[in-house]
Amino acid sequence: GRTQLTPACQLRPFARETFPTDSTIHLTESTMESKLAPATLGYFTIVQQERTGWTGGLLVLNGGGRPLEFQCTLPLRPSKAHEILFGNTLRQHLICDVIGPTLLKKCRTPISMLMCEQTESLRMTDASCTIGFVATPENDGKAYVAREPDGHCSLKVCGASVLVAMEQMEAAEQVAEQMGDFPDVIEPFERIREAIREAQSQIARAA
């Protein structure tokens, strides 16, 4: 008989928290259509641990750096078969095809620009917003941003170097102009990592 392939990786249920916002910063589809709609920054990162596997987190902030929405996956552990079949492409597959797009699909808050700290995230094709790669101490990406790989340019967002696809540069500059009061472009990645660690601690305690 025919051999049926199962999905490469399946995510388990989500841990999700929505932060209440007042009407002046709460974004809806109708306000996004207006040029006056306040810009938001989404932050996406992956935590990989040998013991727990791959966990993705998505944090959406307003122009003042306050949280609007947070989501994270439960740990995802590829099987040995996945590691063999995908080889060196497994990391890109998990980030670009599995974890990242699924988090974005679940997100209810419109994102003006998505900040990432894994270079693979720049290849996400399902994202409907501008994607920027941020050089952080965690990824030591300053040299990568300075090199400006083909099809990408760097710009400053609140003093941080961000790599953006050339075709998204104009949109990225418009978002950057609205982020004058944003406190720290790099720090929110650490918030996600801490939130993931806390969620994993709660799961371990409940086990």
Side-chain angles (χ1 to χ4, degrees):
R2 293 180 60 187
T3 301
Q4 293 185 343
L5 297 178
T6 57
C9 296
Q10 294 181 346
L11 294 180
R12 298 167 64 188
F14 281 79
R16 181 179 185 279
E17 183 171 359
T18 299
F19 295 86
T21 63
D22 59 47
S23 58
T24 61
I25 59 175
H26 182 65
L27 300 179
T28 63
E29 291 183 2
S30 61
T31 59
M32 282 299 291
E33 295 173 357
S34 169
K35 292 183 179 180
L36 299 177
T40 60
L41 288 183
Y43 280 80
F44 166 61
T45 194
I46 298 289
V47 174
Q48 180 188 7
Q49 296 177 326
E50 184 176 351
R51 181 177 58 86
T52 57
W54 299 68
T55 306
L58 176 65
L59 175 64
V60 185
L61 306 175
N62 68 7
R66 291 187 295 276
L68 302 174
E69 183 174 341
F70 173 73
Q71 296 193 45
C72 71
T73 66
L74 293 177
L76 172 66
R77 293 186 62 87
S79 68
K80 186 64 177 178
H82 295 142
E83 294 176 356
I84 295 172
L85 293 172
F86 280 94
N88 293 334
T89 67
L90 179 62
R91 176 182 172 89
Q92 180 178 333
H93 170 67
L94 292 175
I95 295 173
C96 298
D97 302 330
V98 181
I99 300 176
T102 306
L103 280 168
L104 289 173
K105 184 178 179 180
K106 292 285 185 180
C107 183
R108 299 179 185 178
T109 305
I111 299 172
S112 304
M113 185 171 178
L114 183 67
M115 302 298 217
C116 308
E117 62 174 352
Q118 284 85 26
T119 56
E120 292 85 357
S121 302
L122 289 169
R123 302 173 187 173
M124 281 195 293
T125 57
D126 293 341
S128 59
C129 58
T130 301
I131 299 178
F133 168 76
V134 184
T136 69
E138 192 78 12
N139 61 26
D140 195 24
K142 287 185 178 181
Y144 184 80
V145 172
R147 183 159 48 89
E148 293 189 344
D150 290 345
H152 293 79
C153 293
S154 63
L155 79 159
K156 292 289 186 179
V157 180
C158 299
S161 298
V162 181
L163 194 68
V164 179
M166 287 182 179
E167 63 270 20
Q168 297 181 334
M169 181 59 70
E170 183 178 352
E173 289 174 343
Q174 292 176 356
V175 173
E177 289 175 357
Q178 299 184 56
M179 291 295 154
D181 295 329
F182 202 82
D184 189 331
V185 172
I186 297 176
E187 179 270 337
F189 288 115
E190 186 57 31
R191 294 194 217 176
I192 298 176
R193 286 188 285 269
E194 289 184 4
I196 288 175
R197 285 193 290 265
E198 176 59 25
Q200 291 176 345
S201 295
Q202 291 182 6
I203 293 172
R205 288 195 293 267

